[in-house]
Amino acid sequence: MLPPMPSLEHLLEKTSRTFALSIPVLPDPTRREVMIAYLLFRIADTFEDASHWEPARRIEALGEFRALLDGYSRPRAERLAAEWVAAGITSHAGYRELMTDIPFVLDSFFELSPDAVGPVRAHVERSAEGMAGYVGRTKDGSLVLNDLADLKTYCYFVAGIVGEMLTELFLIGRPKLEAIAAFLRERAASFGEALQLVNILKDSAGDAAEGRTYLPPAVSRSEVFSMARRDLETAGAYIGALQSAEAPRGLVEFTALPVLLARASLDRIEKHGPGSKVSRPDVYLLTRRLKRSLDRGEPAV
């Protein structure tokens, strides 16, 4: 018997405001698949973000998590989750709750259809492996990216792979999308990169305070803003292709809302600097405008 959806939704609400807004609009079974996949990526992110742990410990934990995905053992998952939480993996209450509930998340994951388990597992493992590589570059508690290519590679591991995974889930059981499958796959990584670049620009001050310099010192902010805007244009083309192919409305709405929020965030960051956020009233207005556009058959972005 599948665990009740509200438990997964509770974890989602505790760990991501944006995805808690957008995932519920997806059609089933994609909704459940994406929700669980997001939580798995968030677990890996929590290890990467644990800058108060030594790099070797974080790399070990990422490897242990990947091993759970390869050969799941409920008792081992319970033991590891308890150890990670007891060792203070995170001070964030929502992430701590997620880490405590790792066995529940993994139980839910392995109850998905094999068509979904395969791509989700492969992409989460690739992302965790890439994260471990960057954690291993931490020196004296600090990680500094070298140049634009390094930034792009980092964004691929933590977000581009997510875009690729989502695309594979969107295509499952939807023959109408086969004609645009190659188009979507070519743009999926840039879609993820766009959202990650916006987050990096928004959080740059806080990241630097924790020893993570994702904006390469030799690269101007204007170059990163330009790359983010180009990627958001690519994301717009991805969403347009979904609409043209008459994809389920939920897929369009799910992909469009983060792009609209990212565009608004980028404008705010460019004007007011790092730390600037889109207000809750503005998020509500953007969400309502998107729904009205889709009701009228207009382009989502």
Side-chain angles (χ1 to χ4, degrees):
M1 177 177 168
L2 291 175
M5 180 70 81
S7 296
L8 292 169
E9 290 177 336
H10 172 76
L11 290 174
L12 182 66
E13 289 166 2
K14 290 287 187 177
T15 53
S16 174
R17 184 177 71 162
T18 300
F19 282 107
L21 282 171
S22 57
I23 287 178
V25 306
L26 286 167
D28 283 321
T30 310
R31 177 187 180 214
R32 187 179 182 87
E33 293 163 357
V34 172
M35 187 181 304
I36 293 170
Y38 167 78
L39 294 173
L40 293 174
F41 276 105
R42 181 62 256 174
I43 291 166
D45 287 341
T46 301
F47 293 125
E48 189 213 356
D49 291 342
S51 55
H52 55 292
W53 278 14
E54 289 296 319
R57 181 67 186 97
R58 292 152 67 193
I59 292 169
E60 179 186 28
L62 283 164
E64 290 169 332
F65 178 54
R66 288 168 57 204
L68 287 175
L69 291 171
D70 272 334
Y72 181 49
S73 161
R74 172 75 187 220
R76 188 160 185 265
E78 290 174 349
R79 176 178 60 80
L80 287 171
E83 288 176 1
W84 292 327
V85 173
I89 178 64
T90 178
S91 60
H92 186 289
Y95 299 164
R96 190 166 58 249
E97 186 173 350
L98 171 61
M99 300 303 285
T100 300
D101 287 338
I102 282 175
F104 163 69
V105 175
L106 288 172
D107 285 345
S108 302
F109 169 58
F110 284 107
E111 288 173 342
L112 296 176
S113 75
D115 286 344
V117 167
V120 172
R121 174 166 47 201
H123 287 80
V124 173
E125 287 186 0
R126 284 201 301 127
S127 182
E129 184 177 8
M131 290 178 190
Y134 275 90
V135 170
R137 287 173 47 180
T138 303
K139 305 292 183 185
D140 299 321
S142 179
L143 171 65
V144 180
L145 300 190
N146 299 324
D147 51 30
L148 213 55
D150 201 15
L151 173 60
K152 193 173 184 69
T153 301
Y154 173 77
C155 287
Y156 175 70
F157 282 126
V158 300
I161 287 175
V162 179
E164 292 176 340
M165 179 213 66
L166 289 172
T167 299
E168 297 309 314
L169 293 182
F170 294 164
L171 294 170
I172 294 173
R174 297 189 174 97
K176 286 177 64 174
L177 300 185
E178 289 178 6
I180 61 165
F183 185 94
L184 297 178
R185 286 176 174 134
E186 287 169 6
R187 289 154 181 81
S190 293
F191 197 142
E193 178 181 281
L195 303 183
Q196 186 64 28
L197 286 172
V198 174
N199 283 335
I200 285 173
L201 287 162
K202 174 173 63 71
D203 299 334
S204 58
D207 286 335
E210 295 181 4
R212 299 187 295 269
T213 306
Y214 296 129
L215 294 174
V219 176
S220 69
R221 291 285 177 101
S222 62
E223 287 182 85
V224 181
F225 274 100
S226 294
M227 185 162 74
R229 292 196 187 282
R230 286 194 301 271
D231 285 344
L232 286 172
E233 287 300 314
T234 300
Y238 181 109
I239 296 162
L242 286 176
Q243 281 192 279
S244 297
E246 299 181 347
R249 171 174 167 148
L251 297 190
V252 177
E253 190 170 346
F254 170 78
T255 50
L257 181 59
V259 170
L260 294 173
L261 292 173
R263 287 180 178 176
S265 294
L266 205 56
D267 290 341
R268 190 173 289 270
I269 297 162
E270 204 160 22
K271 185 175 181 180
H272 300 290
S276 303
K277 295 182 179 180
V278 179
S279 68
R280 288 184 182 274
D282 284 343
V283 171
Y284 174 78
L285 288 174
L286 283 170
T287 303
R288 294 306 306 160
R289 286 174 191 160
L290 172 59
K291 290 183 181 293
R292 284 198 298 269
S293 294
L294 295 177
D295 287 342
R296 297 167 182 163
E298 298 170 352
V301 297

